[in-house]
Amino acid sequence: MTVALSSDFGRFFVQGSMFQPLPGAWLESPNVDLKSTLARCLVTPARCADISSVSPVWHSVLGLCGPILLKGENMKNKFPAKKSVPIKVFWYSDRIVWPKTVTIITTVNEKGVPNAAPLSGIMHYDNLDKQPRVMLHMRKFAHTMQNICNTGEFVVNFPPYEYTDDVLEACRFYPKGVNELDYMRMTPIPSQKVKPPTLAESRQVLECTLDQFHDLDESQRHAIGNVVNILVDEDLLDVSRPELCKGVDPTITLGDAGRRYFHWTRIGDIKVDEVQSPPKEEEIRYSVQMDLEWQAGALKKLEDVPSFIRTMVVEMAEHIVTNEGDAVVTDARFQRLIDEYTPPELMDRFDTGK
């Protein structure tokens, strides 16, 4: 039997005969069960080698749900099947691709001896300027983590792509107290606000002090650092975002093979998309539940908050006020919250489309 699917969703050709479906009813033939035949084709591509044309078919036509695309003469699935793989040590690095920016963390020990260690397990922890912070994680007994916790300072350097050899040099397990910078090409220079050195070739630098640390278990620790100084090379201060990305030229790790062969890449093509305005007020309904009493002035200020984040702002405000032992969101308190947590620079990120 040959079943060809035409581009007209309402027509199916079976053994050279055309059937026109009736509204709300299945195609019927005294000799062919078309519904079961097509359903088998959808779920069993191997049975559909005689499909001679390509056409989008909707499950709803077959009494099912959701779209599916029949592709090619053998009607292969649009996507390959996914299979579970064993979860092993360094699962994020050897079995999947998880691109991460490589940094070199510089510290000093209690005697002032510098230390350098590569780290991709780092991220920004607070996006406001009130208390900008970063979080890094590593083994709690690593020399770098011990230095951070003992001295309370560290520097985040971003080695350019041409210095992957220095990254690997810092990867080597030198004895405690050895200065890895003595074996690297990158140049240590004094930092401005902390004791650990800055690497001159790093075109952007974060100088940090320890805020707090948390032990996940007996071997792993998270450290949260306050960003006390952000340094960028002068020639990159007034360039576009794509030019800045290319100028910093950060090293990006793609993982490794057996913890021996490390794979790197650098920024290549940069795609720029513009986020669209959210739905207008009349197109979608936003509801806000308030559990505390709000003074009139606070409610008035709340109207200036974009509707699609208003619930989040209300929950934050009431949580803070409740923790302070109050039951009323006063005009003055809400104004302070706005100044602290939703400054104009942050609110400018949200376009109401008005």
Side-chain angles (χ1 to χ4, degrees):
M1 180 186 75
T2 299
V3 180
L5 309 178
S6 76
S7 59
D8 181 352
F9 287 13
R11 297 173 181 267
F12 299 87
F13 299 86
V14 181
Q15 291 182 333
S17 300
M18 183 182 74
F19 290 82
Q20 181 68 39
L22 298 175
W26 287 105
L27 289 175
E28 296 182 356
S29 166
N31 300 319
V32 179
D33 182 356
L34 180 60
K35 176 182 177 181
S36 62
T37 299
L38 292 178
R40 285 197 303 272
C41 288
L42 288 173
V43 299
T44 314
R47 297 182 181 180
C48 303
D50 56 347
I51 295 297
S52 58
S53 65
V54 179
S55 170
V57 176
W58 293 82
H59 273 167
S60 56
V61 175
L62 300 177
L64 305 173
C65 61
I68 188 170
L69 179 66
L70 305 185
K71 190 175 183 180
E73 286 191 356
N74 294 326
M75 215 165 82
K76 296 179 180 178
N77 291 334
K78 184 179 180 181
F79 303 105
K82 291 178 173 57
K83 183 178 180 180
S84 294
V85 296
I87 300 178
K88 301 179 179 179
V89 178
F90 299 116
W91 57 268
Y92 59 87
S93 183
D94 61 353
R95 295 301 300 177
I96 64 175
V97 177
W98 194 327
K100 293 181 289 184
T101 302
V102 176
T103 68
I104 292 181
I105 308 297
T106 48
T107 58
V108 295
N109 63 17
E110 298 94 325
K111 297 180 179 180
V113 178
N115 176 273
L119 183 68
S120 58
I122 184 170
M123 61 177 290
H124 61 83
Y125 186 72
D126 196 325
N127 62 348
L128 297 180
D129 57 357
K130 176 186 176 183
Q131 189 179 9
R133 290 178 289 181
V134 295
M135 181 174 69
L136 51 85
H137 60 87
M138 61 175 60
R139 293 173 297 107
K140 65 184 295 185
F141 299 105
H143 301 159
T144 293
M145 182 61 78
Q146 290 180 335
N147 289 347
I148 291 173
C149 295
N150 290 336
T151 66
E153 296 182 337
F154 62 97
V155 175
V156 182
N157 303 274
F158 295 80
Y161 183 72
E162 64 179 289
Y163 289 95
T164 57
D165 59 331
D166 271 4
V167 175
L168 289 180
E169 189 64 42
C171 277
R172 300 175 68 182
F173 289 94
Y174 284 100
K176 189 173 184 178
V178 171
N179 180 7
E180 289 86 353
L181 297 174
D182 291 339
Y183 303 90
M184 296 166 55
R185 290 190 296 130
M186 299 186 76
T187 309
I189 60 175
S191 298
Q192 295 183 4
K193 295 187 177 182
V194 295
K195 292 180 180 178
T198 287
L199 300 182
E201 290 81 0
S202 175
R203 307 206 69 193
Q204 60 182 19
V205 175
L206 306 178
E207 297 180 357
C208 305
T209 59
L210 178 65
D211 181 58
Q212 54 189 287
F213 64 84
H214 302 278
D215 289 343
L216 301 183
D217 51 36
E218 292 300 321
S219 66
Q220 299 179 88
R221 175 174 289 176
H222 283 178
I224 299 174
N226 298 308
V227 179
V228 297
N229 200 15
I230 299 177
L231 301 168
V232 179
D233 284 0
E234 289 184 348
D235 62 320
L236 298 178
L237 293 178
D238 298 315
V239 300
S240 66
R241 185 69 182 178
E243 290 173 321
L244 177 62
C245 295
K246 293 292 184 71
V248 173
D249 195 21
T251 300
I252 301 171
T253 175
L254 299 177
D256 61 83
R259 305 304 292 171
R260 184 176 180 86
Y261 301 99
F262 288 78
H263 299 70
W264 321 101
T265 189
R266 71 198 317 173
I267 293 175
D269 294 337
I270 297 178
K271 179 182 179 183
V272 180
D273 288 328
E274 181 181 4
V275 64
Q276 298 301 308
S277 299
K280 296 180 187 272
E281 298 283 350
E282 62 270 16
E283 296 176 357
I284 188 167
R285 181 176 298 175
Y286 297 92
S287 61
V288 178
Q289 177 181 340
M290 296 179 176
D291 298 323
L292 301 182
E293 178 184 347
W294 285 62
Q295 290 185 347
L299 288 174
K300 183 64 176 177
K301 292 183 179 68
L302 185 61
E303 294 178 0
D304 296 331
V305 177
S307 57
F308 49 91
I309 63 169
R310 203 170 289 159
T311 295
M312 179 178 63
V313 172
V314 167
E315 291 176 352
M316 179 188 69
E318 293 192 345
H319 173 77
I320 293 174
V321 169
T322 299
N323 285 345
E324 293 174 346
D326 295 325
V328 179
V329 181
T330 64
D331 303 345
R333 187 66 186 97
F334 188 62
Q335 182 61 57
R336 292 201 306 273
L337 290 172
I338 291 294
D339 294 340
E340 292 178 31
Y341 297 104
T342 57
E345 294 85 356
L346 176 64
M347 300 310 292
D348 287 344
R349 296 263 181 157
F350 299 99
D351 178 12
T352 62
K354 296 180 180 178

